[in-house]
Amino acid sequence: MEDLYCSEAPACSEGPIALQDNTLLEDSRILNNLLQLQPFTIPPQNYFKHIQNDIQPYMRKVVTKWMFDVCEEQACEEQVFAVAANLFDRFLCACVVQRTQLQLLGAVCLLLASKLRQCRPLSVELLAYYTDYSVTQQEIRSWELLLVSKLGWDLAPITAFDFVDHLLCRVPFIGCDPAIARKHATTFLAVAVTEPDFVQVEPSALAVASITSAVRGLIPLPEWTAALSTFATAVNLDAHALHALVDQIDLVVEREAMSVQTTVSSQQAQQPLTPTNKQQAPEPMEFFDGNKTPTEVTDIHF
């Protein structure tokens, strides 16, 4: 039996699963395929106005931020959150739900996205824990079947994260560490995905705007302006029309940064929440009507 033992680390352990293949990234055919496929998985309508009667935009932001926090704490691959958010929005375009079911839907989307985009899926038990057991394991399993049936088993959307590496390899930023540029870009992109205003924006446009917004603080003005033009040409968009989207992402990131600073300063003495450290259990979510918009998941109760 000892001869059969394999001491290699599994593919799902920490660290990159595979290195980037520049041959694939620089192949224009792959980028063209992404551009051709992206319209099929963009949410087809504004479900806040035409489908959902009990759901408000701020509720989506609260749930998607919770989903992002779960992905961050579990060190999920970056694509997991983007795919989960896409499944979340497309389901809300296809099925009427109540506000009390939003966290359940978010948990189901995380479960499916982690199965599709990483080799170590999030467990049903773990997701139920993150809802403070306000959602049962059986509900998650039942809604998993409901979601895949409503989406016609079309569970492989094109997301903005799919475009990041294809775009970055086309513009070598002089004087800027590529790893830092990519990290900033994916961070800005994750923040943008939580914004209800960007739900129906083309993934390619959102990727271009997020990358430009992220790197223009790292490189001189002429260089990032030229980069925006190159990116826009690569994805068949008008560079001038993207300036407004870049500015909008700037405002969103600035607002989120201020919110994070306020939260950190008020929670410095608290221990981080993990499934193995239950001194401070997660609280269930609840949404309230009125002028006040909740901004932190820990302040919301289902």
Side-chain angles (χ1 to χ4, degrees):
M1 292 296 295
E2 292 182 358
D3 294 336
L4 300 177
Y5 175 73
C6 180
S7 60
E8 295 180 358
C12 59
S13 60
E14 295 183 1
I17 294 178
L19 298 176
Q20 292 183 358
D21 189 335
N22 291 330
T23 301
L24 296 177
L25 294 178
E26 296 170 2
D27 192 333
S28 60
R29 293 175 299 175
I30 296 178
L31 183 58
N32 290 335
N33 286 339
L34 292 174
L35 293 172
Q36 291 175 9
L37 291 173
Q38 68 173 350
F40 298 104
T41 51
I42 297 175
Q45 58 187 318
N46 186 338
Y47 54 81
F48 299 114
K49 294 182 178 179
H50 305 295
I51 303 295
Q52 305 298 333
N53 299 318
D54 194 37
I55 308 300
Q56 299 297 323
Y58 82 85
M59 299 177 186
R60 178 198 182 273
K61 185 172 181 64
V62 171
V63 177
T64 52
K65 288 181 68 175
W66 171 79
M67 293 163 64
F68 177 72
D69 289 340
V70 172
C71 290
E72 283 284 285
E73 192 163 299
Q74 291 301 309
C76 294
E77 295 180 41
E78 58 194 21
Q79 278 279 12
V80 171
F81 171 62
V83 171
N86 179 273
L87 298 179
F88 184 89
D89 291 324
R90 288 164 57 208
F91 182 84
L92 290 178
C93 288
C95 186
V96 177
V97 302
Q98 302 299 314
R99 65 180 66 187
T100 54
Q101 299 170 314
L102 280 180
Q103 194 175 30
L104 169 58
L105 176 58
V108 172
C109 292
L110 287 174
L111 175 64
L112 280 168
S114 65
K115 287 181 177 180
L116 293 166
R117 289 302 184 114
Q118 66 179 21
C119 61
R120 183 188 59 186
L122 300 173
S123 68
V124 174
E125 295 79 9
L126 181 67
L127 291 169
Y129 166 78
Y130 274 112
T131 68
D132 194 25
Y133 301 107
S134 61
V135 170
T136 67
Q137 297 179 29
Q138 182 57 42
E139 285 177 321
I140 294 176
R141 294 188 178 97
S142 299
W143 271 59
E144 182 182 14
L145 292 175
L146 174 63
L147 188 146
V148 298
S149 63
K150 287 292 184 180
L151 297 186
W153 292 84
D154 186 3
L155 306 177
I158 302 299
T159 72
F161 284 90
D162 289 316
F163 291 93
V164 171
D165 292 322
H166 288 276
L167 294 172
L168 287 176
C169 74
R170 283 165 168 75
V171 179
F173 297 109
I174 300 174
C176 177
D177 186 345
I180 294 178
R182 187 184 188 282
K183 182 178 180 180
H184 284 211
T186 54
T187 299
F188 280 36
L189 193 50
V191 172
V193 170
T194 66
E195 282 296 312
D197 293 339
F198 300 142
V199 168
Q200 291 186 277
V201 175
E202 290 184 338
S204 56
L206 196 60
V208 170
S210 297
I211 294 172
T212 304
S213 177
V215 300
R216 71 177 179 176
L218 303 173
I219 59 179
L221 174 61
E223 190 172 341
W224 73 256
T225 304
L228 176 59
S229 178
T230 302
F231 291 150
T233 301
V235 297
N236 303 322
L237 294 173
D238 181 12
H240 295 288
L242 288 172
H243 274 284
L245 184 58
V246 174
D247 293 337
Q248 193 174 358
I249 290 178
D250 281 345
L251 293 175
V252 168
V253 172
E254 182 179 357
R255 184 174 67 244
E256 290 299 316
M258 294 177 61
S259 175
V260 169
Q261 290 176 358
T262 302
T263 303
V264 170
S265 61
S266 64
Q267 297 181 350
Q268 286 180 345
Q270 296 183 8
Q271 293 184 347
L273 171 65
T274 65
T276 57
N277 178 12
K278 298 185 180 180
Q279 295 181 7
Q280 181 185 354
E283 298 181 15
M285 294 181 184
E286 181 178 343
F287 299 109
F288 300 93
D289 291 321
N291 295 326
K292 182 179 179 182
T293 300
T295 56
E296 290 300 321
V297 173
T298 55
D299 297 333
I300 316 302
H301 301 271
F302 258 114

